[in-house]
Amino acid sequence: MSSVSSTSSLGNTSLRGFGGMASGIDRDAIIEKMTLGTTTKISNRKQDITKLQWKQEAYRNLSDKIIDISDKYASYSSTSNLKDPSAFAKNIISVHGRDEATRFVTATGTSSLIDNVSITGVQQLATSAVLQSQKHMGQNGLQTTLNGLSGRITPTSVLAGTKIRFGNYNDGKWENITDFTLPASYTEGEGDNAKTVNISYVPVEREFDDGRGGKVTRMETDAEFAERLANDLNKALENSEIKIGAGDNKVDLKDAIGFETGTDADGNEIVKLVQKSGMPSNITINAKSSALAAMGYQVDGDKQSVSITDLNSGTIGKFSDAALRRPSTIDYLTEKKLTFNFDGNKKEIMLLTKDEAEYLKNLENYQKRDPNFVTTDADGNLVLTEAGEKQQLKDMAELLQGRLDRAFGTNAVNAQVSADGNLSFTTTGSSSSVSIISNDTELLQNLGIAYGESNKVNLGGKLGQSALKSEVGDLSQYQTGDSEELYLKINGVEIKGITANSTIEDILSKINSTTGAGVKATYVDATGQFMLVSTETGAGRGIDVSSDKDKDGNVTQKNLAEALFGVGTGDNKGEFVEGQNAKVQVSYGNGVTVNLERASNTFNLEGLNVTVSGVFGGDWSETQDIASASQDILDKIAAGDANYTAVRDQAGQLIGYKEWKADSSETVTFSAKADVDAAVEKVKSFFEDFNALVADINSQIRTRPDSSYGPLTDEQKDEMDETSIENWENKAKQGILYGESAIRDLSGDVEGIFSKLMSNGASYEDLKKIGISYSEDWSDGGTLVFDESAFRSAMESDPELVSNIFTGGGDVKKGLISVVEDTFTPYATRYASRNSNGNPGSGHYGRLIEIAGSEKKPSTLYKNEIYKQIEEMQKVISTLQDQLKVEQDRYISQFTTMETLLNQMNTQSSYLSQLTA
């Protein structure tokens, strides 16, 4: 390729003055020629720096590849490590024997005794200690607070589900009508964090500051109810995508209206509509909208359309009186429905039909049934006696029972009046559960139950739920001082963060995440019991849920763990089951069986990591009466012979024994083979990476640089396209390390790797047997040839030989990977200590890195020979650039003086010409 013509790099002197105005001389061109010597020196130094940068890049490319090979194949943390004998070991373990036994045994690892060792039986598995609590079923089942039908129910909402209608009212007609129905809920948060928040249109119990830095749970006042509801409705508006208006004038409803609290003329708290700036001027509210009356607005009955301003300027009644109604209990429950979940089967059940309600309200019916059920008040009206009220609630339960029977089967779910006189629900089957999952929050509140409450434990519920009330009792007894936290302690470790508002699910989660407690907690729905299971298997694992006691044994702090996880008594009792060790019988092929006892079902067996999961190799006999035992058997039981198990009564007295009847036909043996495919993949990859590095080194020492190509100047690059520049520089970089002594030495050392391996004890025949040979082409520079077929065959027949050659062992003092690593370390390594010759602090990262640095060792990037050379050249360029400026300034000054004189001469000549004219 022909050379590219050079142009001057000056080209900017005209920016500092005007040249040739009088003389007509191209000042800049002349100055460029006069300073050409200096600019050429600068250009040459820049090209020298570029060559050094290319050389530095080439060195780093080689050192990076060397370090990569070491990291990948000689590091014990690498998955491709070939320095560890385990890469070639027989570590694929197979178990052999009858299916009845082998299905209970798995093994990994390596063992020199694998052909001798066998498991003749597993007498018992290691188990965890388990504390199974009393049954938390709720003494009265799923109990409501409904204890009579003759009173008034707590407030119910008139406002929920009502509508506000917007539109244009013209000439007696409504147009562009849009309804906003007061919703049951709104969404809070976005994406995975989104949750549905139910809106309660009646006062609710919630937490308030108690004025002393603590919290108190109480019913909302009218003012607090109004404020909370206004906030909830505004949040619902923010969720709304409803628009009002017409055509291009449509706006989002949330930009048009809102809700806020205020007071009426009597000072009562009210919730009122407010108009926002986005409200279209021609949009009004239908005066007949059902929500208006429910909010307490009193609108003229003749009006069809009303603005929000007119609404608020009129009369507004007390909000709580308008929005709430207080019906009789019977009227409230009529046609109300609850959703029951019986063992996963969900049905919606009506509490009372209209006909049933009329029957219950007709007190003459009760008078006829029993005169003791009714009496008369002062006005002569019939009223129910206490006995009559109990019977009325029983009648409702019986009516409800018929619908429950039709839904779930006869007496599957029972509606009844509990001993406390409340309506409750139970299940006939002890393993069955019934819960209420109704979304009618108002109805649930009036019945005194929470969503999901069950006759068993509701994991989403709190500690005060039906199934736990009798055992847990007053939660304040578990508080620690003035703290809201409840005292929960297991195995001497306190479980933090539990309060009266924690759900059962949260409590279990906190136990399971507490380090040191040593247990995992769960709830077994089928039995209604909590279980604490020790995290470690084996004998001697205790589970302590007792309260702290002082030196006299007095309880100093009530422990919630006792109430939840304590062992009960009688029919409801739980129990503590101690953990046990695994008992395994092992034979070493010499006719002697060794009985192993281990705390875990996974254990080391002569290098094998064995896991057992079932009992095999024999069976335990039925319990034998201890009176029939011979002295020999008694001695064996006393000595703890593994083939005998003592049976004791509750008092701990020995009453019998069981004998292990071995079955040798279920013996499990082991065999091992190498993972040939994995080894082939790693070794093949190694030779590919190694030979690629060898080819790169060989190319650098054999490729002569072409002097026709060198670094391009900026001016030259401006005349070329990107492809041409890239092609040029690729050609110019070829042979950049030619003649470098470090690369010649590296090449020579690499060519000697095969010889070094043989001098360390590997024979040529063995190398050939496992598929490794030296390239017969002398110009390949040390390339190693890999025969995959031969290697695979060697791995299948003699993996130990393969391991010896790669990792060292047997007659091979140093394996191939160590030889390669030792060869490369003087040139590039991550660890300077490897090149210290035993002198701490005197090591280096290898010759290539000393010359050019490496990004794999950032500390060397500014501490290497080439970097220092570049720094020196940059100083020279800086000096030459200062010299160039001085020269340019001097010549510019001289040309400026010449131009001034010529201007003067031209002026005088013109003047003389005028005199002689």
Side-chain angles (χ1 to χ4, degrees):
M1 180 176 179
S2 61
S3 62
V4 178
S5 62
S6 175
T7 60
S8 171
S9 61
L10 182 63
N12 66 347
T13 56
S14 60
L15 298 177
R16 301 199 303 273
F18 297 96
M21 296 292 289
S23 64
I25 297 173
D26 186 348
R27 182 198 67 180
D28 289 352
I30 291 176
I31 292 177
E32 286 176 354
K33 290 180 181 178
M34 296 175 74
T35 59
L36 182 61
T38 303
T39 57
T40 300
K41 290 178 182 178
I42 293 173
S43 180
N44 289 341
R45 292 297 178 273
K46 287 183 176 179
Q47 288 180 311
D48 289 343
I49 287 177
T50 299
K51 285 182 179 179
L52 281 174
Q53 289 172 334
W54 287 351
K55 185 178 289 187
Q56 190 177 53
E57 179 185 352
Y59 269 114
R60 288 180 180 179
N61 179 53
L62 291 176
S63 64
D64 286 354
K65 287 181 178 179
I66 289 172
I67 290 176
D68 285 343
I69 286 176
S70 179
D71 287 347
K72 189 173 181 181
Y73 302 106
S75 171
Y76 286 97
S77 62
S78 170
T79 57
S80 298
N81 176 31
L82 293 175
K83 198 174 182 180
D84 188 342
S86 65
F88 311 98
K90 294 180 177 181
N91 52 18
I92 297 181
I93 308 300
S94 298
V95 294
H96 307 280
R98 290 171 55 181
D99 290 344
E100 292 87 345
T102 57
R103 63 193 177 99
F104 293 129
V105 181
T106 60
T108 59
T110 59
S111 174
S112 58
L113 294 178
I114 195 165
D115 294 329
N116 303 94
V117 70
S118 62
I119 296 178
T120 60
V122 174
Q123 294 175 322
Q124 72 179 31
L125 294 176
T127 60
S128 298
V130 178
L131 178 63
Q132 187 169 279
S133 78
Q134 69 271 34
K135 297 178 180 179
H136 294 285
M137 303 290 286
Q139 290 182 351
N140 297 310
L142 170 52
Q143 184 167 272
T144 73
T145 57
L146 187 64
N147 58 9
L149 302 177
S150 62
R152 294 282 172 179
I153 203 75
T154 55
T156 62
S157 175
V158 175
L159 189 59
T162 58
K163 296 181 180 180
I164 306 174
R165 174 163 288 181
F166 301 89
N168 289 119
Y169 187 69
N170 294 309
D171 298 328
K173 294 182 179 179
W174 282 97
E175 297 176 340
N176 305 316
I177 294 173
T178 304
D179 287 335
F180 173 60
T181 302
L182 273 61
S185 63
Y186 63 88
T187 301
E188 192 170 63
E190 297 181 354
D192 293 338
N193 296 321
K195 64 177 182 179
T196 299
V197 179
N198 292 325
I199 299 175
S200 177
Y201 287 86
V202 297
V204 296
E205 281 191 344
R206 56 188 176 99
E207 278 191 347
F208 295 91
D209 293 332
D210 63 4
R212 301 189 302 274
K215 299 286 186 182
V216 61
T217 300
R218 60 169 173 78
M219 186 66 69
E220 294 172 322
T221 63
D222 284 352
E224 291 162 345
F225 162 51
E227 182 179 12
R228 191 258 308 155
L229 183 57
N231 288 335
D232 284 352
L233 291 174
N234 284 326
K235 289 176 181 177
L237 275 175
E238 288 298 317
N239 284 174
S240 170
E241 296 182 358
I242 297 174
K243 294 182 180 292
I244 61 173
D248 295 336
N249 295 323
K250 278 192 173 184
V251 299
D252 289 328
L253 181 61
K254 62 185 176 183
D255 296 328
I257 69 162
F259 295 87
E260 68 178 33
T261 57
T263 54
D264 64 14
D266 297 324
N268 298 310
E269 196 75 17
I270 60 172
V271 175
K272 61 182 181 179
L273 281 169
V274 290
Q275 183 170 305
K276 295 183 179 179
S277 58
M279 184 73 167
S281 58
N282 61 338
I283 295 296
T284 58
I285 296 175
N286 188 325
K288 308 302 181 185
S289 296
S290 56
L292 298 184
M295 292 177 69
Y297 286 112
Q298 297 175 20
V299 184
D300 187 336
D302 294 332
K303 280 192 175 183
Q304 297 296 319
S305 169
V306 63
S307 69
I308 294 178
T309 302
D310 289 342
L311 279 173
N312 290 326
S313 64
T315 302
I316 308 177
K318 183 178 179 182
F319 176 73
S320 62
D321 287 345
L324 304 173
R325 65 185 178 91
R326 295 171 172 82
S328 70
T329 304
I330 292 178
D331 287 339
Y332 175 75
L333 295 177
T334 301
E335 296 193 324
K336 281 283 195 297
K337 296 179 179 179
L338 280 178
T339 301
F340 288 80
N341 183 351
F342 173 65
D343 290 344
N345 185 13
K346 301 171 187 176
K347 298 285 186 180
E348 191 174 55
I349 307 296
M350 184 176 292
L351 296 178
L352 280 176
T353 67
K354 286 183 178 180
D355 291 341
E356 291 168 348
E358 289 302 318
Y359 174 84
L360 294 175
K361 287 193 294 184
N362 188 346
L363 300 191
E364 292 180 358
N365 292 329
Y366 289 91
Q367 188 178 38
K368 292 176 182 178
R369 289 170 62 180
D370 189 335
N372 293 322
F373 286 163
V374 296
T375 187
T376 54
D377 61 15
D379 297 324
N381 299 315
L382 289 177
V383 292
L384 289 173
T385 63
E386 183 178 347
E389 287 183 352
K390 289 182 178 179
Q391 185 60 51
Q392 189 182 47
L393 186 58
K394 287 181 180 179
D395 289 344
M396 176 190 167
E398 289 178 7
L399 294 168
L400 180 55
Q401 183 65 55
R403 285 185 284 279
L404 290 170
D405 287 347
R406 289 190 290 276
F408 302 116
T410 302
N411 294 329
V413 176
N414 302 309
Q416 60 191 37
V417 178
S418 71
D420 296 335
N422 295 344
L423 177 67
S424 62
F425 302 95
T426 62
T427 60
T428 301
S430 61
S431 64
S432 293
S433 64
V434 60
S435 60
I436 291 176
I437 56 173
S438 174
N439 288 317
D440 189 336
T441 55
E442 179 188 285
L443 177 58
L444 293 181
Q445 181 179 325
N446 281 316
L447 292 175
I449 53 179
Y451 179 94
E453 192 149 352
S454 170
N455 63 323
K456 294 184 181 178
V457 174
N458 171 23
L459 296 181
K462 301 178 183 179
L463 290 164
Q465 61 184 272
S466 297
L468 297 175
K469 282 179 182 176
S470 58
E471 290 89 358
V472 173
D474 181 10
L475 294 177
S476 64
Q477 66 184 316
Y478 308 114
Q479 290 181 338
T480 53
D482 295 329
S483 171
E484 287 185 37
E485 284 198 22
L486 303 181
Y487 185 68
L488 180 66
K489 197 170 187 180
I490 298 173
N491 284 339
V493 177
E494 192 170 348
I495 313 300
K496 295 290 188 178
I498 308 297
T499 71
N501 289 314
S502 297
T503 65
I504 303 304
E505 195 168 35
D506 186 41
I507 292 173
L508 297 179
S509 176
K510 280 184 165 59
I511 293 171
N512 292 336
S513 61
T514 298
T515 303
V519 295
K520 292 298 180 183
T522 189
Y523 174 73
V524 183
D525 184 72
T527 63
Q529 292 170 293
F530 288 107
M531 290 180 67
L532 292 177
V533 181
S534 61
T535 53
E536 299 288 344
T537 57
R541 307 288 181 184
I543 301 178
D544 179 24
V545 296
S546 61
S547 301
D548 282 356
K549 296 182 180 181
D550 61 20
K551 61 184 177 61
D552 297 321
N554 300 314
V555 175
T556 59
Q557 176 65 58
K558 185 68 174 176
N559 191 338
L560 179 60
E562 290 181 75
L564 293 178
F565 305 106
V567 176
T569 58
D571 294 337
N572 193 34
K573 70 178 181 180
E575 62 179 326
F576 174 72
V577 179
E578 291 189 11
Q580 63 183 23
N581 291 333
K583 293 183 177 180
V584 183
Q585 295 179 325
V586 177
S587 170
Y588 288 85
N590 57 0
V592 177
T593 298
V594 177
N595 294 300
L596 302 181
E597 189 166 336
R598 297 290 182 265
S600 172
N601 292 314
T602 297
F603 51 90
N604 182 279
L605 182 61
E606 306 301 334
L608 295 179
N609 192 43
V610 176
T611 299
V612 294
S613 58
V615 173
F616 66 88
D619 203 356
W620 292 100
S621 68
E622 295 293 329
T623 300
Q624 306 295 311
D625 191 337
I626 197 65
S628 65
S630 66
Q631 188 59 48
D632 180 53
I633 292 176
L634 291 175
D635 291 342
K636 288 179 178 179
I637 294 174
D641 190 312
N643 291 310
Y644 292 88
T645 296
V647 179
R648 301 179 186 276
D649 61 17
Q650 291 183 343
Q653 295 297 314
L654 182 64
I655 60 173
Y657 69 93
K658 293 181 180 180
E659 183 179 358
W660 176 255
K661 302 295 185 180
D663 181 357
S664 60
S665 68
E666 292 186 352
T667 296
V668 171
T669 60
F670 302 92
S671 66
K673 66 177 182 178
D675 190 344
V676 177
D677 291 338
V680 168
E681 183 180 347
K682 292 177 185 179
V683 170
K684 184 177 180 181
S685 175
F686 165 74
F687 282 110
E688 288 173 351
D689 291 345
F690 176 82
N691 287 334
L693 173 59
V694 171
D696 199 351
I697 296 169
N698 201 34
S699 173
Q700 292 291 356
I701 68 166
R702 296 186 182 279
T703 304
R704 293 176 179 272
D706 189 337
S707 59
S708 301
Y709 292 84
L712 296 169
T713 65
D714 292 338
E715 290 75 18
Q716 289 171 326
K717 289 180 179 179
D718 289 341
E719 297 176 3
M720 303 168 68
D721 59 41
E722 290 186 6
T723 302
S724 299
I725 293 171
E726 183 180 358
N727 291 336
W728 178 281
E729 291 189 341
N730 286 339
K731 185 69 176 176
K733 290 177 181 179
Q734 289 181 358
I736 193 70
L737 298 183
Y738 183 79
E740 294 286 313
S741 61
I743 304 304
R744 289 199 305 269
D745 293 345
L746 172 61
S747 177
D749 287 343
V750 169
E751 288 180 358
I753 283 177
F754 194 79
S755 298
K756 289 179 188 175
L757 181 59
M758 288 195 293
S759 67
N760 271 284
S763 70
Y764 181 82
E765 291 74 16
D766 284 344
L767 288 169
K768 187 175 182 181
K769 179 180 179 181
I770 72 167
I772 301 175
S773 59
Y774 194 73
S775 174
E776 295 179 358
D777 187 344
W778 66 271
S779 65
D780 280 348
T783 297
L784 297 177
V785 179
F786 175 60
D787 184 341
E788 180 179 338
S789 178
F791 178 82
R792 183 179 291 276
S793 177
M795 276 296 298
E796 291 172 348
S797 62
D798 195 354
E800 186 176 354
L801 173 63
V802 176
S803 177
N804 290 343
I805 291 175
F806 272 88
T807 70
D811 295 332
V812 182
K813 302 182 191 68
K814 227 175 227 188
L816 173 61
I817 303 303
S818 291
V819 169
V820 169
E821 191 176 28
D822 289 350
T823 301
F824 285 146
T825 293
Y827 297 93
T829 178
R830 285 189 185 275
Y831 310 102
S833 59
R834 292 182 178 178
N835 289 316
S836 64
N837 293 322
N839 299 316
S842 64
H844 60 85
Y845 295 107
R847 289 176 64 184
L848 304 189
I849 295 178
E850 290 285 298
I851 293 170
S854 169
E855 289 187 358
K856 293 184 181 294
K857 298 301 299 182
S859 62
T860 66
L861 292 175
Y862 305 104
K863 190 179 178 182
N864 57 76
E865 295 174 12
I866 292 179
Y867 180 79
K868 291 177 181 178
Q869 293 176 44
I870 291 174
E871 271 193 321
E872 290 301 319
M873 287 188 182
Q874 287 174 334
K875 290 177 183 177
V876 171
I877 290 174
S878 180
T879 300
L880 288 172
Q881 287 174 333
D882 291 343
Q883 178 182 326
L884 176 62
K885 185 178 182 302
V886 170
E887 292 176 0
Q888 290 173 341
D889 289 346
R890 183 174 71 249
Y891 291 135
I892 288 172
S893 176
Q894 292 172 354
F895 270 96
T896 300
T897 300
M898 181 188 73
E899 289 290 322
T900 300
L901 292 173
L902 287 175
N903 276 328
Q904 292 174 353
M905 293 174 64
N906 288 336
T907 300
Q908 290 174 355
S909 176
S910 176
Y911 176 72
L912 292 174
S913 297
Q914 291 175 359
L915 291 177
T916 59

